[in-house]
């Protein structure tokens, strides 16, 4: 079993929809939770990170962390075709130190 | 004014050859990383350097040797290339060790071994 599980998708939604992307993890020592966006043939781009449990909002993006359930989410409001990309969750902390452990990514397509 | 740059962008080579990938960051960061992304898009850390010192060395064949001449540069040399080395290699940097949560990635080097 992988330390971080993420549904690979693809997830296809109409423009304007609310998108929910999720990851589960097994290492309770993880403290930092990141979301990256990766366009095709590009490097991952950091969207936001959260420390420990709670919510964080940045524009149309909201990250949620539930450490008790070992479950994190990224919500995208008013999704746009330009949001079409692969979304990667990543985590670090505890004995893993500075190492980021990534999920396999969810491919999102937003239809105009 | 690219933050993290890598050269080359594409690398096609034959099995058994030796090749190098270069990475440079102009963010003033202390910590740099090498990641490998396989054909299933899974991103896995290989190495990390903090101010020229190796701090993360994952289970990677010793054919892979990183080198950091200064804190703005991290190169990756690969000896005796194998088919399984085909992947996209990403360099990343973060402000300093202990702050891995804001890593900035380069555009990647797509390595194809034939």
């Amino acid at each position: 079993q992988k330390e971080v599980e993420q549904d690979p998708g693809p997830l296809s939604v109409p423009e304007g929809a609310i998108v929910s992307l999720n990851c589960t993890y097994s290492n309770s020592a993880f403290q930092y939770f990141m979301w990256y966006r990766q366009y095709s043939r590009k490097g991952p781009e950091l969207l936001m990170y959260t420390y420990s449990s709670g919510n964080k909002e940045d524009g149309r993006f909201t990250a949620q962390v539930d450490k008790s359930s070992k479950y994190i989410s990224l919500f995208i409001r008013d999704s746009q075709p330009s949001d079409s990309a692969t979304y990667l969750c990543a985590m670090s902390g505890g004995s893993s130190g500075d190492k980021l452990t990534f999920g396999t990514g969810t491919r999102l397509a937003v239809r105009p | 004014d690219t933050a993290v740059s890598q050269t080359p962008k594409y690398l096609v080579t034959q099995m058994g050859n030796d090749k190098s990938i270069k990475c440079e960051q102009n963010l003033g960061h202390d910590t740099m990383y090498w990641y490998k992304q396989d054909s299933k898009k899974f991103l896995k850390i290989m190495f990390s350097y903090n101010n020229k010192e190796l701090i993360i060395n994952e289970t990677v064949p010793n054919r892979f040797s990183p080198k950091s001449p200064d804190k703005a540069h991290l190169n990756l040399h690969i000896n005796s290339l194998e088919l399984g080395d085909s992947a996209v290699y990403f360099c990343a940097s973060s402000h300093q060790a202990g702050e891995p949560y804001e890593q900035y990635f380069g555009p990647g080097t797509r390595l194809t071994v034939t």
Side-chain angles (χ1 to χ4, degrees):
Chain A
Q1 185 190 1
K2 289 187 176 145
E3 273 192 291
V4 180
E5 299 278 359
Q6 188 175 7
D7 187 333
L11 182 61
S12 180
V13 301
E15 184 174 354
I18 296 175
V19 176
S20 171
L21 303 164
N22 312 294
C23 289
T24 58
Y25 62 95
S26 57
N27 187 345
S28 57
F30 285 144
Q31 296 174 298
Y32 290 97
F33 304 90
M34 282 68 70
W35 285 98
Y36 283 83
R37 177 175 63 196
Q38 186 174 22
Y39 290 114
S40 181
R41 298 202 167 237
K42 300 288 186 185
E45 171 195 5
L46 179 66
L47 287 173
M48 54 203 307
Y49 72 89
T50 311
Y51 174 71
S52 195
S53 282
N55 295 357
K56 188 171 185 178
E57 188 173 319
D58 185 359
R60 296 185 295 112
F61 298 89
T62 300
Q64 286 186 354
V65 174
D66 181 349
K67 289 193 74 178
S68 62
S69 302
K70 297 193 184 69
Y71 187 87
I72 70 170
S73 301
L74 178 71
F75 297 96
I76 308 174
R77 288 184 298 281
D78 188 25
S79 56
Q80 302 295 309
S82 59
D83 296 327
S84 299
T86 297
Y87 289 80
L88 300 154
C89 63
M91 307 174 189
S92 70
S95 60
S96 69
D98 281 10
K99 188 174 77 168
L100 290 191
T101 302
F102 280 85
T104 49
T106 299
R107 196 151 50 95
L108 171 67
V110 180
R111 307 186 304 272
Chain B
D1 55 342
T2 306
V4 182
S5 59
Q6 293 179 229
T7 53
K9 195 166 182 180
Y10 298 95
L11 190 51
V12 181
T13 188
Q14 291 185 328
M15 283 174 54
N17 284 350
D18 303 339
K19 290 293 177 186
S20 291
I21 307 171
K22 295 182 186 293
C23 177
E24 177 180 1
Q25 54 93 4
N26 62 6
L27 296 166
H29 288 169
D30 283 353
T31 309
M32 296 183 73
Y33 310 80
W34 277 115
Y35 287 86
K36 179 181 179 181
Q37 188 170 47
D38 62 24
S39 56
K40 295 182 180 176
K41 302 293 187 188
F42 184 59
L43 203 57
K44 190 166 172 20
I45 192 165
M46 301 172 69
F47 303 102
S48 177
Y49 273 75
N50 183 64
N51 204 4
K52 303 194 293 177
E53 180 184 343
L54 183 66
I55 59 170
I56 294 175
N57 185 357
E58 287 294 285
T59 309
V60 174
N62 58 16
R63 299 181 294 103
F64 290 79
S65 51
K67 187 169 278 189
S68 182
D70 56 61
K71 69 177 192 176
H73 295 84
L74 180 61
N75 304 323
L76 183 66
H77 188 75
I78 315 170
N79 288 325
S80 304
L81 278 153
E82 300 178 357
L83 292 176
D85 298 332
S86 295
V88 183
Y89 292 84
F90 287 102
C91 176
S93 73
S94 64
H95 183 233
Q96 60 186 19
E99 296 183 6
Y101 38 84
E102 273 193 285
Q103 291 189 22
Y104 295 89
F105 283 76
T109 296
R110 187 172 293 270
L111 171 65
T112 303
V113 183
T114 61

